[in-house]
Amino acid sequence: MAKTAIRVAVTGAAGNIGYALLFRIASGQMFGADQPLILQLLEIPVEGPQKALKGVAMELDDCAFPLLQDMVLTGDADVAFKDVNWALLVGSKPRGPGMERADLLKDNGKIFIAQGQSIDKVAADNCRVAVVGNPCNTNVMIAASQAKRLPKDRFTAMVRLDENRARAQLAKKAGVAIDAVSDTFIYGNHSPTMFADFTHAKINGKAAAEVIGDDAWLKTDFLPAVGKRGAAIIEARGVSSAASAANALVDHVRDLTTVGKVHSVAVESQGRYGFADGVWAGMPVKTTATGHEVIASYEMDDLAKSKIALTNDELVGERDTVKEMLA
């Protein structure tokens, strides 16, 4: 029997990440090759972006995707989020030249207050939210704080791009296929302070640190390479990561809908792994039949604890900057 179509909202849908993402959702790569869907696409209510959005929709039509049953194009959040089962919050205000991080946090905070309220008001009862727009850990905290109807565990932010980057770097160093690398989890903020935990990573089932046998590389090359990879891509391409971010969101949502998958997700910390209660931090999460549960059993060595303390300090600082925005 054919499945009922799900409704998927995407914000910033005409942007670079949106453009790299929508065709993959519509082709079945995110929700499965047998899951029909309706895309509800939000762009800022300004002529240029709305016109670009129409062009993207025309291309989606021209792909003749069998799963794509309908599209809604809008500049109104209440229309975009109406009855959605998934809300993918990709759009956010980028940091401009000379802009302070505090200003960026507050400008984006306003966007995510409005979107959080709208989702809570009009989305389906089973709606789940994935935040990509940066600073995503703090944006998801703000959006979730607005929700009265939807529980906080429906809200996640994406650190999967960092996990994918970390796995790729380890695979390259060890000279193995990417599938050989497992148990590589991201702790903390999606920013250069995040901790890509190599201490529990495995390569072909063995401790990655032993296989690589180069402690100095892991600490002084690997960690900064993962943390600053986004900046390196901007330096090389002149624009920020879009295709790899879209790919990571496909992974993030697909694994959150696949029971048994263990992967890095930013969730409400609840004080786990030494994070302050109330911040949203990356950590290992296992997908369950009803949602997800944090795997809180990894023992952290002194290096890991010190790295987690640094990224926690940044998350707490961000929370303090936007505290008046938290409902």
Side-chain angles (χ1 to χ4, degrees), residues 162 165 191-194 222-234:
D162 303 305
R165 287 167 170 169
S191 83
T193 67
M194 58 92 204
F222 167 74
L223 287 178
V226 178
K228 294 174 181 164
R229 183 70 167 184
I233 288 167
I234 292 172

Side-chain angles (χ1 to χ4, degrees), residues 245-258:
N247 177 70
L249 183 56
V250 172
D251 291 343
H252 173 99
V253 174
R254 190 188 56 231
D255 284 359
L256 277 174
T257 52
T258 307

Side-chain angles (χ1 to χ4, degrees), residues 39-251:
L39 286 173
Q40 303 189 179
L41 307 178
L42 182 68
E43 257 304 345
I44 51 176
V46 174
E47 188 188 357
Q50 286 296 318
K51 194 174 168 188
L53 184 59
K54 285 195 181 84
V56 174
M58 287 158 76
E59 283 205 74
L60 282 159
D61 279 338
D62 294 351
C63 289
F65 289 120
L67 296 172
L68 183 56
Q69 292 193 351
D70 197 9
M71 284 183 277
V72 175
L73 316 182
T74 184
D76 181 336
D78 285 358
V79 173
F81 297 128
K82 179 80 176 127
D83 297 328
V84 295
N85 309 103
W86 275 90
L88 309 179
L89 308 187
V90 175
S92 64
K93 181 174 176 174
R95 190 169 179 169
M99 189 178 193
E100 292 295 325
R101 191 168 171 86
D103 296 330
L104 181 72
L105 284 162
K106 285 177 175 165
D107 283 357
N108 275 306
K110 291 174 193 133
I111 295 168
F112 285 84
I113 286 173
Q115 291 185 357
Q117 288 172 347
S118 176
I119 290 165
D120 200 53
K121 184 170 67 176
V122 301
D125 286 339
N126 68 350
C127 181
R128 294 167 78 177
V129 181
V131 177
V132 178
N134 280 323
C136 64
N137 296 60
T138 294
N139 289 341
V140 75
M141 173 179 67
I142 291 168
S145 79
Q146 308 304 312
K148 308 278 179 282
R149 176 174 62 105
L150 298 173
K152 281 199 169 60
D153 66 6
R154 300 281 183 80
F155 291 77
T156 59
M158 187 177 90
V159 288
R160 183 57 176 267
L161 181 51
D162 303 305
E163 179 185 314
N164 288 349
R165 287 167 170 169
R167 287 180 64 217
Q169 295 288 326
L170 292 173
K172 221 170 180 177
K173 179 71 173 172
V176 297
I178 195 85
D179 285 353
V181 181
S182 63
D183 302 75
T184 311
F185 302 118
I186 303 299
Y187 292 83
N189 205 0
H190 172 61
S191 83
T193 67
M194 58 92 204
F195 175 52
D197 181 20
F198 61 83
T199 68
H200 295 98
K202 303 260 194 306
I203 295 174
N204 288 319
K206 298 184 184 134
E210 281 175 35
V211 173
I212 286 169
D214 187 344
D215 218 35
W217 178 84
L218 286 165
K219 288 174 183 164
T220 57
D221 294 347
F222 167 74
L223 287 178
V226 178
K228 294 174 181 164
R229 183 70 167 184
I233 288 167
I234 292 172
E235 170 65 28
R237 277 193 78 226
V239 288
S240 60
S241 321
S244 55
N247 177 70
L249 183 56
V250 172
D251 291 343

